[in-house]
């Protein structure tokens, strides 16, 4: 019997400031605990990507973002579901990031990405972003 996995649409923000990128660390209680990722989350029913991204970044980092263009898309199968991850260029429109609903956040150079264990879908996105692989 072939089991059809559920597909989850996820959006994430690539926020760059003075050459560094904002990454967040998942909470210890989350799925994929303590792994790093670009801030974002699941698109809920009735939301478009922009609305979901603004809501998720506000929830996680307490900042308002302006969503710009789509940078990349990857689809990654996990054990019980598939994540379709849409990465958008964003800028902080208001506020300074704080650890509202993340374990931690950091501003890092792209050359430092390999020092942080990223979620598999984010790792695929980064490779695409940096033209690796």
């Amino acid at each position: 019997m072939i089991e059809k996995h559920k597909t989850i649409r996820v959006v994430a923000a690539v926020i760059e400031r003075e050459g560094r990128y904002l990454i967040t660390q998942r909470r210890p209680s989350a799925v994929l605990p303590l792994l790093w990722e670009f801030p974002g989350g699941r698109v809920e029913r009735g939301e478009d990507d922009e609305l979901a991204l603004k809501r998720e970044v506000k929830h996680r980092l307490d900042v308002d973002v302006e969503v710009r263009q789509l940078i990349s898309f990857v689809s990654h199968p996990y054990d019980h579901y598939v994540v379709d991850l849409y990465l958008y260029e964003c800028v902080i429109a208001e506020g300074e990031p704080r650890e509202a609903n993340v374990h931690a956040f950091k501003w890092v150079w792209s050359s430092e990405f390999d020092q942080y264990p990223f979620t598999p879908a984010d790792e695929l996105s980064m490779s695409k972003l940096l033209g690796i692989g």
Side-chain angles (χ1 to χ4, degrees), residues 72-108:
S72 75
F73 161 77
V74 297
S75 187
H76 184 78
Y78 288 90
D79 286 345
H80 302 290
Y81 52 90
V82 174
V83 167
D84 282 353
L85 175 63
Y86 295 82
L87 221 54
Y88 286 89
E89 176 190 337
C90 294
V91 293
I92 295 175
E94 196 172 314
E96 272 303 312
R98 68 178 189 85
E99 292 156 356
N101 283 290
V102 295
H103 187 66
F105 74 87
K106 288 188 176 193
W107 291 96
V108 300

Side-chain angles (χ1 to χ4, degrees), residues 33 60 68 72 102 106 110 116:
R60 294 176 193 288
R68 298 203 171 152
S72 75
V102 295
K106 288 188 176 193
S110 59
Y116 298 89

